[in-house]
Amino acid sequence: MFDPVIAPSGTLLGLLQRGRGDGTLHALTAPRAEALAALNHCVLHDPRHDWQVENRSLYYARLHLDLDGGLDAIEAHLFGPEDVLDPDESRTGLALAVLGHLASYGRREALALLRRYAAQGTNWAWALDELALRDDDAGLRALAGPVLARFPADAEGQAELAAAVRDAFEPRPWRLWAEDPRPSVATRVRAARETGCFDRWQRQMRPSGPRPGWSVRAVFEWAHNGLERGAALHVPAARCLMAVAGPEDRREIVEAARHGGDGARCTALRYLADSGDPGVLDLIEEAVTTGSTVVVEAAVDAFERMRSAVAVDRARGWARRPDALGAAAGRLLACRGAARDRDLVLAALREAVRGEGPDAPTLWTLVDGAGRLGIACAAPVLRHIYRETASSHLRGRAARALAATDPSFPAGFAIECLWDCEETTRELAARHAETGDLRVVERLRRLAADPAEEAEVQTAVRSRIGPDAAAL
């Protein structure tokens, strides 16, 4: 899947792609045709950089209901020729999830589309998972025939069926089908379930990797062989060293951290950092200067994991370095620094935005640190990140940091956050948004009554509109 093209944050499409609360508010005041066009573009062209963790489906489904939109565009997307030519689940997953939420809100045509796609579509397993949460037993039983017909009755088809049953996210349909009164259905599903359980047991009985009694050298060789195959194994290898290495092995491990091959060097650095070895900080600095890209990344990651006062103090000296170690030092101070480190964390935050933009991975930790340390001067940078980032998770972190640093947050961004796509951001808004705005009161009441809303959000809402909140 290609990275999505995100429109500017000042446009309706850009707001909706980001999942911002202002996207919903602007769409409800825009011409309906324009708002529906932007909404359909988002649903049919998933705008998330990480579609597996970022939320959009409930956000888009709610707006779809508010705009009283039709399902023709989604139907054409699901059943067009590309469904066969491009079977990647990320192409249709968002549309299917939106249909799932619409079905839970009582849209019968959405439920019918999900049933039809589960019977005919390429990404049928996703549709079946959506139906498992929302359809009745009769509707699911009717799908047994079309789904099982996808798997030939030969050995290969039965193996594929067993894998599908084993990997199903929602087991409810398969459980129903295993009890189906039709022998042709129940027998195949029961056999597939038994095969899946046996396969899982076999994998557990044949673990790969280090065994008790391995030497330090054997662990290094395992990490080296993994790296040659393209698998970075230095993290589990370092855990193995914790079990097999003794004080007498320190000299060999330090030598590997200084001059070993990439696999051994990464493993040794991680082990020495996790065990708090007194010489590891010098070895990390040396590795960043002389090591390959793989070694530099491993050294930086090992350093960031350290929690000792010595590591924090060394980070204060490294924080202004213009390299990966300097960036890691800024992140370590953001996580574990004290009030005296505010200027260094703020400088790292500004430099990251200036050099890498509002979507830089390093910002996640730095934004959290700005909030943890209460850096009031960071509020302008945090507001910029909030507006511009395409990551709804990073925006939520920026909102949390603004709640701790920006006195204008309750009357500003907190209000639009009530419509945000991420439930953690809506929960934050429910606790902070000023209720002088009538939109806030109405939104809180709507969230409290919405059966699709997360329990944590509704708990936060009830704390604002319960018996003790007479102002509402």
Side-chain angles (χ1 to χ4, degrees):
M1 179 181 178
F2 294 103
D3 285 339
V5 176
I6 305 298
S9 61
T11 64
L12 175 59
L13 177 59
L15 290 170
L16 291 178
Q17 287 177 316
R18 288 167 171 81
R20 278 183 56 182
D22 257 6
T24 294
L25 297 175
H26 280 64
L28 295 177
T29 59
R32 181 171 176 272
E34 177 186 344
L36 282 173
L39 174 60
N40 284 332
H41 184 280
C42 293
V43 173
L44 306 185
H45 304 89
D46 195 334
R48 296 170 291 182
H49 285 285
D50 191 344
W51 62 272
Q52 293 180 313
V53 298
E54 291 190 43
N55 296 313
R56 291 292 190 282
S57 55
L58 180 59
Y59 172 84
Y60 292 142
R62 283 171 168 168
L63 181 56
H64 196 282
L65 289 174
D66 290 338
L67 295 173
D68 193 23
L71 299 179
D72 292 346
I74 294 179
E75 181 179 8
H77 178 73
L78 292 178
F79 295 98
E82 286 191 7
D83 192 53
V84 176
L85 300 174
D86 183 8
D88 193 319
E89 63 180 6
S90 63
R91 192 190 77 86
T92 53
L94 179 57
L96 293 170
V98 170
L99 287 178
H101 284 299
L102 291 176
S104 69
Y105 281 119
R107 291 285 296 268
R108 299 297 300 178
E109 63 271 35
L111 186 65
L113 268 182
L114 281 173
R115 289 171 174 170
R116 180 182 161 201
Y117 189 83
Q120 303 175 15
T122 299
N123 191 14
W124 61 271
W126 192 311
L128 188 61
D129 285 338
E130 296 291 339
L131 289 168
L133 297 173
R134 298 169 174 96
D135 207 353
D136 55 29
D137 288 356
L140 290 174
R141 287 195 179 99
L143 290 171
V147 170
L148 292 180
R150 296 175 179 274
F151 304 95
D154 56 19
E156 183 178 353
Q158 195 63 20
E160 292 175 354
L161 176 59
V165 175
R166 183 192 65 221
D167 299 336
F169 190 74
E170 294 291 341
R172 180 179 164 226
W174 302 102
R175 289 173 179 168
L176 283 174
W177 299 342
E179 300 168 357
D180 196 285
R182 294 166 291 181
S184 60
V185 172
T187 301
R188 289 198 72 190
V189 174
R190 287 173 184 167
R193 293 179 69 186
E194 291 174 1
T195 301
C197 292
F198 182 70
D199 290 345
R200 189 177 297 111
W201 175 80
Q202 282 187 314
R203 289 200 301 270
Q204 292 171 345
M205 294 298 293
R206 293 196 303 265
S208 61
R211 301 287 193 277
W214 272 32
S215 66
V216 169
R217 184 176 298 278
V219 173
F220 285 151
E221 289 176 355
W222 181 63
H224 171 75
N225 293 335
L227 198 59
E228 285 194 333
R229 298 193 308 269
L233 299 177
H234 63 275
V235 174
R239 289 198 296 268
C240 292
L241 282 185
M242 288 289 186
V244 306
E248 69 279 4
D249 298 306
R250 182 180 182 275
R251 182 186 297 275
E252 180 181 357
I253 296 173
V254 169
E255 181 63 21
R258 183 171 285 121
H259 302 300
D262 284 357
R265 198 171 186 185
C266 293
T267 300
L269 288 168
R270 180 65 171 244
Y271 166 80
L272 292 170
D274 287 354
S275 59
D277 188 272
V280 69
L281 291 170
D282 293 333
L283 291 170
I284 287 173
E285 186 172 22
E286 182 180 343
V288 170
T289 304
T290 64
S292 65
T293 301
V294 172
V295 171
V296 170
E297 291 176 354
V300 165
D301 184 59
F303 170 62
E304 281 191 68
R305 289 172 50 83
M306 298 183 69
R307 293 173 170 80
S308 65
V310 175
V312 173
D313 189 60
R314 186 71 68 94
R316 294 182 178 117
W318 286 345
R320 299 193 185 278
R321 289 176 58 128
D323 60 5
L325 189 55
R331 293 191 295 269
L332 190 146
L333 292 175
C335 293
R336 301 183 179 93
R340 59 183 282 203
D341 302 310
R342 288 173 177 170
D343 289 344
L344 292 174
V345 174
L346 177 59
L349 178 66
R350 288 171 171 167
E351 180 60 30
V353 173
R354 193 162 41 235
E356 302 179 58
D359 290 312
T362 189
L363 288 176
W364 291 53
T365 304
L366 294 173
V367 164
D368 286 349
R372 184 182 73 85
L373 295 172
I375 307 176
C377 294
V381 183
L382 295 171
R383 287 194 289 265
H384 172 76
I385 295 170
Y386 177 96
R387 292 189 187 98
E388 298 300 328
T389 182
S391 167
S392 54
H393 279 188
L394 179 55
R395 182 177 63 252
R397 289 171 179 256
R400 186 163 59 247
L402 283 168
T405 60
D406 186 1
S408 70
F409 178 74
F413 285 140
I415 294 177
E416 77 154 279
C417 285
L418 289 169
W419 284 264
D420 197 88
C421 66
E422 296 291 342
E423 65 267 18
T424 53
T425 307
R426 296 195 299 275
E427 179 186 357
L428 178 78
R431 298 189 185 280
H432 288 86
E434 284 191 358
T435 56
D437 191 319
L438 292 179
R439 295 177 302 170
V440 172
V441 177
E442 178 57 32
R443 182 60 175 173
L444 290 174
R445 287 172 175 158
R446 183 171 176 178
L447 292 175
D450 191 336
E453 188 51 83
E454 296 292 333
E456 292 81 1
V457 179
Q458 293 192 325
T459 298
V461 170
R462 285 193 290 270
S463 72
R464 302 294 299 279
I465 64 175
D468 297 332
L472 295 187

